[in-house]
Amino acid sequence: MFRKLVLVTLVVMLAIPLVTPTAAQEDKPKIGFLPGIVDPFYQVMELGVNQAVKDFGLGEVVT
Amino acid sequence: MQTPILESYIARGDLDYIITAPVEKDQMVAPLQKALDAGIKIITVDTFLGDSDYVNGPVTFPISYIGSDNVEGGRIAARALVEALGGKGKVFIENTNPGVSSVEGRAQGFKEVIDQNPGMTLVGMEYCQDDANIAAQQVSAVLQREPDLAGIFGVNVFSAQGAGNAVKAAGLEGAVQIVSYDATKDAMENLKNGIVTMVLAQKPYDMGYLGVEFAMADWRGVTSLPKRVTTGFAILTRDNMDDPEFSRFIYQVP
């Protein structure tokens, strides 16, 4: 019984990181980018946005 | 044009910030306020809402405006034409859309300097709706109407492109000086070929990068972000366009 309890506890503790984001992962905003028109100026701006998103580890920007 | 996309962003329910260049400084206030009311903070880049004074002006909810000082950009463009024309000549502004803060500022600054030079005459300004073909038609008409037109200010990518095409089509390269805003490959080609006298390169990469940086800082609790950041220009001429210190500001699109 005790061994079963230890086993279940171990499995639950190992599973928590898989279903619950870490504090560091939660602590990031989700950003949308809405430029003016489609032209080289805004395309370069989007490059800047994407680089910053990558540098800050934000995953992706909504466009 | 932006409002339906903005509403789709709001409807997602998962955004914390929107970095945007509002296409109209007054009409986009309500839609962006709606985003704020839905819990999405706003950062404006390139263009602003209201009068750009997010501290004491009529619109204060955006975190910051990050972009060029477009009034000063217009002044720089005008000074370049005044110098190129020896202080005398007729000039024309090829603009894009009324109500867009960026190009309004450029025209304002340009007119200020032209007004300060008695030998210069502004013969008119037209709006091409960001369509280079319309810009070319408008400039062609002005070239016919004003056969001694000496200079043109193309306020953005498409207006400058159209102006260049019209001057080329009329065989007036070098006879009509063009000052161009935005360092696209097309503008640089025209600069190299003598169709354009000067190109003002903005720093859109910086605007985009800083927009995200400000969002991160705000997210992390920074409360002293400046309400306005001017990103500056690189002034490109035939003399410096191949210098890496200047050519790095040419808009390189993958």
Side-chain angles (χ1 to χ4, degrees):
Chain A
M1 181 68 186
F2 179 72
R3 277 178 70 186
K4 231 185 219 179
L5 186 61
V6 167
L7 199 61
V8 166
T9 305
L10 204 60
V11 167
V12 168
M13 282 176 63
L14 285 171
I16 284 176
L18 293 175
V19 299
T20 308
T22 62
Q25 287 171 333
E26 283 179 324
D27 191 27
K28 286 176 184 170
K30 198 161 182 77
I31 297 174
F33 176 53
L34 182 57
I37 53 175
V38 178
D39 74 2
F41 172 84
Y42 285 113
Q43 287 169 325
V44 172
M45 188 186 290
E46 190 167 353
L47 292 176
V49 168
N50 289 338
Q51 186 62 51
V53 163
K54 183 180 171 188
D55 289 350
F56 286 109
L58 297 180
E60 63 169 7
V61 62
V62 174
T63 56
Chain B
M1 179 180 74
Q2 281 183 324
T3 303
I5 303 173
L6 180 60
E7 286 177 350
S8 73
Y9 282 15
I10 296 170
R12 289 174 58 102
D14 65 347
L15 292 183
D16 300 293
Y17 297 87
I18 291 175
I19 298 167
T20 184
V23 293
E24 217 285 343
K25 60 187 173 64
D26 298 314
Q27 290 176 20
M28 288 307 296
V29 173
L32 287 168
Q33 177 71 59
K34 190 175 167 188
L36 183 72
D37 293 342
I40 306 171
K41 292 188 179 182
I42 306 300
I43 295 167
T44 66
V45 287
D46 180 48
T47 61
F48 53 74
L49 297 172
D51 66 357
S52 84
D53 182 354
Y54 291 164
V55 176
N56 298 310
V59 179
T60 57
F61 66 80
I63 290 172
S64 188
Y65 161 67
I66 302 169
S68 301
D69 178 346
N70 286 297
V71 175
E72 181 58 21
R75 294 186 190 117
I76 293 170
R79 287 182 202 125
L81 270 183
V82 169
E83 185 177 332
L85 299 177
K88 286 182 184 173
K90 292 182 179 179
V91 295
F92 174 79
I93 301 173
E94 183 55 52
N95 210 321
T96 59
N97 298 282
V100 179
S101 65
S102 54
V103 294
E104 273 195 356
R106 292 165 204 175
Q108 177 191 330
F110 187 87
K111 287 176 187 174
E112 262 179 39
V113 171
I114 297 301
D115 284 346
Q116 292 163 1
N117 286 271
M120 304 288 293
T121 305
L122 179 64
V123 298
M125 178 171 71
E126 297 208 35
Y127 296 94
C128 68
Q129 313 297 326
D130 279 312
D131 187 320
N133 291 327
I134 294 176
Q137 287 166 16
Q138 290 170 339
V139 171
S140 292
V142 171
L143 289 171
Q144 288 190 12
R145 197 166 68 234
E146 303 282 349
D148 54 346
L149 186 73
I152 300 170
F153 176 32
V155 305
N156 85 334
V157 171
F158 298 118
S159 57
Q161 185 181 335
N165 289 343
V167 166
K168 273 189 282 192
L172 290 171
E173 301 96 312
V176 178
Q177 305 288 328
I178 299 176
V179 173
S180 181
Y181 225 90
D182 287 324
T184 60
K185 287 182 185 169
D186 183 76
M188 300 316 294
E189 198 58 40
N190 283 342
L191 183 64
K192 187 176 173 184
N193 295 334
I195 295 163
V196 165
T197 302
M198 184 184 83
V199 172
L200 277 96
Q202 300 187 78
K203 299 183 181 181
Y205 184 92
D206 293 16
M207 296 176 200
Y209 196 99
L210 288 171
V212 174
E213 204 161 26
F214 272 36
M216 277 302 296
D218 181 81
W219 180 258
R220 293 286 169 85
V222 172
T223 58
S224 55
L225 290 169
K227 282 286 199 175
R228 182 185 177 94
V229 174
T230 50
T231 44
F233 303 101
I235 309 300
L236 296 165
T237 65
R238 262 189 299 285
D239 292 336
N240 67 21
M241 62 183 288
D242 294 322
D243 182 340
E245 279 302 304
F246 292 88
S247 62
R248 62 196 283 237
F249 295 108
I250 297 170
Y251 302 168
Q252 305 286 357
V253 180

